[in-house]
Amino acid sequence: MKESVSRFCSFLLRVGTLGDRMQGEWIGEVPPHASSNAYPVLRTWIEYLKEDDPQICFLPSYHTFLATGDSYKSFAYSYRVGKSTIVGIVPETCEILWRKLQPLYMPVPKRKDWETTAEGFLNRWQFPNCIGAIDGKHVVIQTPPNSGSVFFNYKHTFSVVLMAIVDHMYCFTVIDVGAFGSCSDGGIFARSQIGRQMDSNELNIPPYQQLPGAPEIGKLPFVAVGDEAFPLKINFMRPYPGQHLCEGKRIYNYRLSRARRVVENAFGILAARWRIYQRGFSCNHRMWIKLLKQPVPCTTFYRKLHNPHR
């Protein structure tokens, strides 16, 4: 546990201060209603923050806001500050933390990173040449004014989509945030920067490689895996459609679904740690993007904290 605390203190020092405007402001305690369910690192962070460097101004109210998903008003009461103060703190802190954390825990993947992920998928999930699992998560929002049906999804709720590539250890590699809930996962992927770069071979994906134990097949490309909503491409694989399949196709679907399951589990971990994903967002579109993307590198950090030899 001491090693984990020291790692987290080192992480705090890397992130540094939250801007001159916030210097010396709130470093409080976690509200009672959040202490049992909030992000586990939160209490460790609050406990050691003051001892490490009192000038580092992280805001427990901000992380607890994301971890519990409560309203601005409830946190204004909990921390004895005005609602307008909390409303101003959250977006500014989101922007600064994303700018600090993303290069550390979600950098742009290089060829070596993809190769490490492919080795992990082979050893852990028995799926070779796999660079990640892709899927989209619908995050419920309140109906924006004059938005028509662009946010209305197949679940009969209004949502925006968080699309992500996840590695073999449930760590987020690449994300795309803010697509309309009415769009399909395949359409969102095709229009996203991730999909365009994959099609134009700009993601530093490694060259073709032989499958282990099958040299007679020759070299095959590295691929990402997804469900039936995505198209079949040279760098993307999906399950065989239908129910009455031969044995070989059924085995392939089983192996692919086993590898693809990591992205579903990663979204489950994300929503369990940050309960704001389970509540309806009631802010403007620009704020949605900030609130949706900022917990992702924090979750990846927490995964790597407990899996240093991943």
Side-chain angles (χ1 to χ4, degrees), residues 18-248:
L18 288 183
D20 297 336
R21 177 184 168 189
M22 294 185 180
Q23 292 298 322
E25 291 187 12
W26 289 86
I27 300 178
E29 298 298 329
V30 182
H33 66 275
S35 59
S36 61
N37 296 321
Y39 191 41
V41 177
L42 182 60
R43 282 184 290 175
T44 303
W45 156 41
I46 296 172
E47 183 178 349
Y48 288 89
L49 180 60
K50 299 175 186 177
E51 299 176 7
D52 238 7
D53 186 354
Q55 297 300 319
I56 296 178
C57 183
F58 277 75
L59 300 174
S61 59
Y62 164 74
H63 271 84
T64 312
F65 171 78
L66 297 180
T68 62
D70 285 347
S71 64
Y72 287 125
K73 182 177 287 188
S74 67
F75 280 94
Y77 286 131
S78 298
Y79 290 92
R80 296 181 176 88
V81 296
K83 179 182 175 181
S84 59
T85 303
I86 296 293
V87 172
I89 284 171
V90 169
E92 187 171 351
T93 309
C94 274
E95 188 65 33
I96 294 172
L97 287 181
W98 171 261
R99 192 167 63 245
K100 295 283 187 176
L101 298 181
Q102 184 268 328
L104 294 174
Y105 300 106
M106 286 182 57
V108 177
K110 299 179 181 178
R111 175 177 171 178
K112 185 177 180 181
D113 299 325
W114 295 126
E115 291 175 347
T116 302
T117 299
E119 183 180 356
F121 268 103
L122 176 61
N123 296 331
R124 191 178 178 92
W125 304 111
Q126 292 77 54
F127 199 96
N129 285 21
C130 181
I131 59 173
I134 301 180
D135 202 4
K137 175 178 175 58
H138 286 266
V139 182
V140 177
I141 61 173
Q142 283 191 358
T143 310
N146 304 318
S147 62
S149 60
V150 293
F151 292 100
F152 192 73
N153 61 38
Y154 68 96
K155 299 179 181 179
H156 304 291
T157 60
F158 292 85
S159 65
V160 290
V161 178
L162 169 64
M163 183 159 287
I165 300 179
V166 177
D167 70 6
H168 60 289
M169 293 295 291
Y170 311 110
C171 293
F172 291 88
T173 305
V174 184
I175 63 171
D176 181 82
V177 185
F180 297 139
S182 60
C183 301
S184 66
D185 286 346
I188 294 171
F189 177 74
R191 290 188 293 271
S192 68
Q193 187 175 0
I194 305 172
R196 293 197 300 268
Q197 288 185 341
M198 183 176 287
D199 290 341
S200 59
N201 199 22
E202 296 177 2
L203 283 181
N204 299 319
I205 297 176
Y208 289 21
Q209 178 176 289
Q210 285 185 349
L211 297 183
E216 67 279 1
I217 298 178
K219 295 183 177 181
L220 296 177
F222 284 82
V223 297
V225 295
D227 57 20
E228 297 87 347
F230 294 92
L232 181 65
K233 295 185 178 182
I234 191 169
N235 289 120
F236 200 100
M237 298 189 73
R238 48 165 288 171
Y240 281 105
Q243 297 180 349
H244 304 288
L245 302 175
C246 65
E247 183 180 3

Side-chain angles (χ1 to χ4, degrees), residues 69 139-142 158 275-283 288:
V139 182
V140 177
I141 61 173
Q142 283 191 358
F158 292 85
R275 294 194 174 183
I276 194 169
Y277 288 99
Q278 301 179 20
R279 309 291 178 91
F281 282 77
S282 58
C283 48
W288 294 332

Side-chain angles (χ1 to χ4, degrees), residues 228 238-257:
E228 297 87 347
R238 48 165 288 171
Y240 281 105
Q243 297 180 349
H244 304 288
L245 302 175
C246 65
E247 183 180 3
K249 291 182 179 180
R250 287 201 306 271
I251 294 174
Y252 163 80
N253 280 2
Y254 166 74
R255 291 295 182 187
L256 185 139
S257 298

